[in-house]
Amino acid sequence: MIPRIGPAPDATRRYVLRPGAYVILPLGQHVLLTVQHGQTADIQLPGGGIDPGESLLQALHREVIEETGWRIAYPRRLGAFRRFAYMPEYEKWAEKLCHVFVARPVRQISEPTEPDHGTIVLSPSEAVETLGNDGDRLFVSNYFR
């Protein structure tokens, strides 16, 4: 069974399953992360939902390029977690099934193409303090331990 990390689901809401692929990108003694700008800046692991017809790894590579502009190599799956959250861009509540990988960032080929996205490089301890959800924090903390 895949563990839930974060708040329990609200029994009065209907959640749509949203599987996704996310990645820890070590850069030396630091980690490359995504910043999603909105009303506040949300720092997160690069990644996102799997589109229809996509494999987990295809989604991972696509999302990393869209959100960071970087190509990656040697992705290795670390595990998965579930979390329940509102997705304002889709106006729905989702049960996010987050598959977490680690990969080597090879080179930046462009700026992020996803609107309102940028990158930030932080130390592992800074990342754990600022990542936007408990699951991302747990996986980064465990990886750099």
Side-chain angles (χ1 to χ4, degrees):
M1 182 156 161
I2 298 173
R4 174 185 50 82
I5 299 177
D10 179 341
T12 66
R13 297 200 187 282
R14 181 178 174 274
Y15 294 89
V16 176
L17 182 62
R18 180 71 168 148
Y22 303 86
V23 65
I24 297 170
L25 297 173
L27 275 175
Q29 298 299 312
H30 293 81
V31 61
L32 175 65
L33 301 167
T34 296
V35 179
Q36 186 172 1
H37 301 282
Q39 290 183 341
T40 62
D42 186 24
I43 297 175
Q44 52 198 260
L45 292 178
I50 301 167
D51 289 342
E54 259 185 337
S55 73
L56 196 56
L57 288 176
Q58 287 170 330
L60 181 70
H61 285 275
R62 176 185 53 77
E63 285 284 349
V64 170
I65 289 173
E66 288 176 358
E67 293 187 358
T68 69
W70 282 73
R71 291 218 183 265
I72 60 171
Y74 310 113
R76 179 173 52 93
R77 188 173 181 276
L78 299 176
F81 67 95
R82 296 177 312 129
R83 70 184 189 96
F84 295 84
Y86 182 69
M87 299 176 67
E89 63 271 26
Y90 300 105
E91 297 183 352
K92 65 181 171 186
W93 289 88
E95 175 186 356
K96 298 184 83 171
L97 175 55
C98 305
H99 299 272
V100 182
F101 292 78
V102 63
R104 184 169 64 91
V106 177
R107 68 184 169 100
Q108 188 173 16
I109 59 170
S110 69
E111 292 299 314
T113 60
E114 188 74 24
D116 301 322
H117 282 68
T119 59
I120 188 170
V121 177
L122 298 175
S123 71
S125 62
E126 290 170 323
V128 169
E129 290 175 17
T130 59
L131 280 162
N133 73 71
D134 294 337
D136 288 359
R137 286 191 290 274
L138 177 67
F139 273 85
V140 169
S141 176
N142 287 346
Y143 179 76
F144 285 101
R145 188 176 323 172

